[in-house]
């Protein structure tokens, strides 16, 4: 998990990608010391006209995070709400997503929590949420591995247990859990596809089995990823051609009497093909890696949109800010974000929420110490000239602002390109506070004054 080759992908728009974390590369970050946390207490108020002092209209537009009713009005009738996070492992980002989802379920009729986790992982956890099958802690421990280990936390365990308890109390209005990512296609997907074909199109089974033979995993998430990336690139590309051929074979078949099962099996086959394709890029080549990132964000959006249209659910989509957003801070590494693809597909039925913070702690890998366990880092208050410095001074409490409603000086303040923290699975990292436009990237921004490291499970 802490391989020095993680340096390939963990840039300023850092993302969870165990598939690229293992790729060979000569890239290296510029290691910088983490800044210490300042003494507890509110930051000194900025004097009028100081850099980062918020326009009065921005302060008037802020709503306290303690009251989610205005947020519900801001979301309106959107079918998918993307909720981001500025770090991948801070308690307050996770607990506020849980709180927002619970509000949307109870007050707005939302029924799916989607996570930047693998599709097959989502299916296993959804079986627990819907039917109580399996030990949720064991499922999390088995599925949230390598780069996805940052989801194996007490906070996500609390969310999943709440979802299960909700379904026990409300069997006629169940909530569901889905994963939209593609870094790992578990054996359950292959088995579901081949079982369906054996029953409905037995003549195709030998060919399908052969096409899937090399790609069906026989180990866990992290071991499979390491072994797969150790294969020669030409072999990975042949495997990708095979799983894409399997998808094309299935797409040519009529749906039969059970259209719902056929549609789900096709989605399983498509995710298998998405996974094979992303491993077919040369992840030692920066241009190929950028193409892989583009493929990944497009695929995550496609999987989410498919789920929404197939189920009709209103959904909360949880991911990093760099995935729910509209604009990439590093387009040469991350050419187009999931949020932009979501907006293309859903228009105003997609609304996103970026989450920022002023100071605090998070879990991450230290790229200067490859092979060492995940550790906790702490940052002090952000300097003047950053978006976080301004947002810290908007209100003394955690708050949120509908950026779409701002005009004049308030609008100009959030449209400026200013350094903004975007921390993924590694820290420190050069470019982790690349300039961004808040208004260009998000519809709504939530700002937390202080965060603490999430509770990692073992």
């Amino acid at each position: 998990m802490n391989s020095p080759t993680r340096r390939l992908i963990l840039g300023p728009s850092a993302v969870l990608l165990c598939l690229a974390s293992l790729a060979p590369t000569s890239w290296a970050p510029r290691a910088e010391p983490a800044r210490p946390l300042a003494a507890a207490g509110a930051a000194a108020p900025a004097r009028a006209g100081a850099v980062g002092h918020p326009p009065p209209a921005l302060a008037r537009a802020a709503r306290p995070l303690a009251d989610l009713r205005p947020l519900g009005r801001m979301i309106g009738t959107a079918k998918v709400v993307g909720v981001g996070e500025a770090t991948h492992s801070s308690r307050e980002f996770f607990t506020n997503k849980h709180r927002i989802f619970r509000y949307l379920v109870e007050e707005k009729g939302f029924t799916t929590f989607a996570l930047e986790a693998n599709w097959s992982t989502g299916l296993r956890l959804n079986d627990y949420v819907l039917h109580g099958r399996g030990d949720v802690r064991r499922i999390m421990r088995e599925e949230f591995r390598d780069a996805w280990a940052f989801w194996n936390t007490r906070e996500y365990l609390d969310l999943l247990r709440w979802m299960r308890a909700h379904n026990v109390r409300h069997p006629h209005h169940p909530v569901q859990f889905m994963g939209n990512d593609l870094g790992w296609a578990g054996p359950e997907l292959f088995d579901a596809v081949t079982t369906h074909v054996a029953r409905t199109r037995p003549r195709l089974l030998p060919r399908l089995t052969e096409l899937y033979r090399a790609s069906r995993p026989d180990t866990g998430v992290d071991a499979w990823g390491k072994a797969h990336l150790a294969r020669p690139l030409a072999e990975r590309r042949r495997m990708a051609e095979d799983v894409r051929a399997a998808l094309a074979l299935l797409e040519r078949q009529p749906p039969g009497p059970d259209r719902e099962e056929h549609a789900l099996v096709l989605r399983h086959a498509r995710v298998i093909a998405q996974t094979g394709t992303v491993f077919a890029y040369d992840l030692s080549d920066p241009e190929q890696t950028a193409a892989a990132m583009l493929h990944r964000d497009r695929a995550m959006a496609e999987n989410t949109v498919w789920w929404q249209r197939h189920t009709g659910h209103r959904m909360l989509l949880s991911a990093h800010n760099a995935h729910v957003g509209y604009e990439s801070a590093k387009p040469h590494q991350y050419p187009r974000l999931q949020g932009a693809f979501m907006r293309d597909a859903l228009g105003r039925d997609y609304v996103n929420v970026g989450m920022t913070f002023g100071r605090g702690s998070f879990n991450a890998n230290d790229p200067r110490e490859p092979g060492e366990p995940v550790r906790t880092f702490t940052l002090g208050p952000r300097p003047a000239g950053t978006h976080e410095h301004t947002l810290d001074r908007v209100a003394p409490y955690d708050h949120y602002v509908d950026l779409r409603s701002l005009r004049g000086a308030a609008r100009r303040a959030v449209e400026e390109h200013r350094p903004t923290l975007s921390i993924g699975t590694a820290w420190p990292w050069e470019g982790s506070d690349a300039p961004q436009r808040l208004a260009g990237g998000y519809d709504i921004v939530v700002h937390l004054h202080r965060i603490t490291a999430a509770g990692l499970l073992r």
Side-chain angles (χ1 to χ4, degrees):
M1 178 173 180
N2 298 306
S3 166
T5 56
R6 182 178 299 277
R7 297 166 185 172
L8 177 64
I9 63 159
L10 291 174
S13 300
V15 295
L16 285 176
L17 252 189
C18 79
L19 58 95
S21 73
L22 302 167
T25 178
S26 60
W27 294 13
R30 183 183 68 205
E32 298 176 351
R35 288 160 285 183
L37 181 64
R47 65 184 184 278
V51 174
H53 185 57
L58 183 57
R60 289 195 297 271
R63 298 291 178 266
L65 189 55
D67 182 3
L68 294 178
R69 290 172 296 179
L71 181 64
R73 293 191 290 271
M74 294 173 190
I75 290 169
T77 60
K79 295 176 180 176
V80 180
V81 178
V83 183
E85 58 203 31
T87 82
H88 262 324
S89 195
S90 294
R91 171 177 172 78
E92 289 74 14
F93 290 138
F94 296 164
T95 55
N96 276 293
K97 290 183 184 191
H98 180 172
R99 180 168 163 261
I100 291 169
F101 180 62
R102 182 169 181 168
Y103 168 81
L104 293 175
V105 168
E106 295 174 348
E107 302 297 332
K108 300 296 180 180
F110 277 58
T111 40
T112 289
F113 187 96
L115 178 62
E116 183 190 340
N118 293 309
W119 178 265
S120 53
T121 298
L123 295 177
R124 289 190 70 189
L125 288 171
N126 199 36
D127 206 23
Y128 164 78
V129 165
L130 284 175
H131 308 296
R133 296 187 184 125
D135 179 340
V136 65
R137 290 193 66 151
R138 178 177 178 179
I139 297 170
M140 292 173 66
R141 184 169 60 251
E142 292 175 350
E143 295 287 334
F144 292 147
R145 306 281 294 185
D146 204 81
W148 290 279
F150 290 94
W151 302 155
N152 190 25
T153 67
R154 288 191 294 270
E155 293 80 18
Y156 270 110
L157 178 61
D158 289 344
L159 168 67
L160 289 159
R161 284 176 169 168
W162 175 83
M163 294 175 72
R164 176 63 195 143
H166 170 92
N167 289 346
V168 171
R169 294 191 306 270
H170 306 283
H172 303 297
H173 182 61
V175 293
Q176 297 197 45
F177 183 94
M178 69 91 69
N180 72 348
D181 209 349
L182 49 63
W184 153 260
E188 302 87 356
L189 299 190
F190 294 84
D191 295 347
V193 174
T194 54
T195 298
H196 172 81
V197 168
R199 188 177 72 254
T200 62
R201 301 283 189 276
R203 63 182 178 81
L204 300 180
L205 186 59
R207 175 59 176 157
L208 189 71
T209 301
E210 180 59 30
L211 291 171
Y212 278 164
R213 186 180 308 279
S215 294
R216 186 189 183 281
D218 56 6
T219 60
V221 177
D222 46 359
W224 179 86
K226 291 179 176 67
H228 192 64
L229 278 170
R231 298 173 186 264
L233 180 60
E235 182 180 352
R236 300 203 309 267
R237 286 178 171 170
R238 287 194 298 271
M239 294 168 65
E241 290 173 1
D242 284 348
V243 292
R244 288 194 294 264
L247 173 62
L249 179 66
L250 293 170
E251 288 180 324
R252 291 195 294 269
Q253 309 308 312
D258 194 337
R259 291 179 174 270
E260 183 172 351
E261 181 183 348
H262 179 77
L264 184 58
V265 165
L266 281 182
R267 181 51 46 177
H268 294 341
R270 183 168 298 279
V271 172
I272 291 170
Q274 290 170 348
T275 303
T277 297
V278 83
F279 279 100
Y281 289 96
D282 181 357
L283 299 177
S284 66
D285 179 341
E287 291 187 4
Q288 284 274 295
T289 301
M293 300 302 101
L294 179 65
H295 168 75
R296 182 189 180 220
D297 272 85
R298 181 189 290 115
M300 289 194 297
E302 289 176 355
N303 293 336
T304 306
V305 170
W306 179 88
W307 181 283
Q308 195 285 316
R309 290 174 174 168
H310 184 72
T311 63
H313 290 188
R314 300 185 74 185
M315 305 171 61
L316 185 150
L317 169 60
S318 173
H320 197 276
N321 283 344
H323 287 308
V324 304
Y326 299 128
E327 293 184 356
S328 174
K330 299 287 282 186
H332 64 288
Q333 292 179 351
Y334 307 96
R336 201 158 193 263
L337 305 183
Q338 176 185 209
F341 289 113
M342 295 291 298
R343 183 169 57 181
D344 287 347
L346 298 178
R348 293 184 178 180
D349 281 334
Y350 177 70
V351 169
N352 72 9
V353 181
M355 280 194 177
T356 61
F357 72 100
R359 64 181 77 181
S361 303
F362 54 91
N363 301 307
N365 291 294
D366 189 335
R368 301 164 300 186
E369 300 177 1
E372 291 301 309
V374 170
R375 53 175 289 205
T376 298
F377 295 88
T378 301
L379 300 184
R382 295 284 283 152
T386 64
H387 277 303
E388 295 95 346
H389 182 269
T390 298
L391 293 172
D392 258 348
R393 286 153 178 75
V394 164
Y397 42 78
D398 293 344
H399 57 273
Y400 54 95
V401 178
D402 188 339
L403 304 179
R404 300 165 298 181
S405 68
L406 301 178
R407 301 292 183 270
R411 179 71 184 182
R412 290 192 295 273
V414 296
E415 282 188 335
E416 292 179 0
H417 283 85
R418 296 185 184 180
T420 310
L421 283 172
S422 182
I423 300 168
T425 58
W427 178 268
W429 204 270
E430 183 180 9
S432 291
D433 60 349
Q436 299 181 41
R437 293 193 317 147
L438 289 182
Y442 312 105
D443 298 311
I444 301 163
V445 65
V446 170
H447 183 71
L448 308 177
H449 284 272
R450 187 183 294 269
I451 58 173
T452 55
L456 294 173
L457 299 174
R458 304 299 178 188

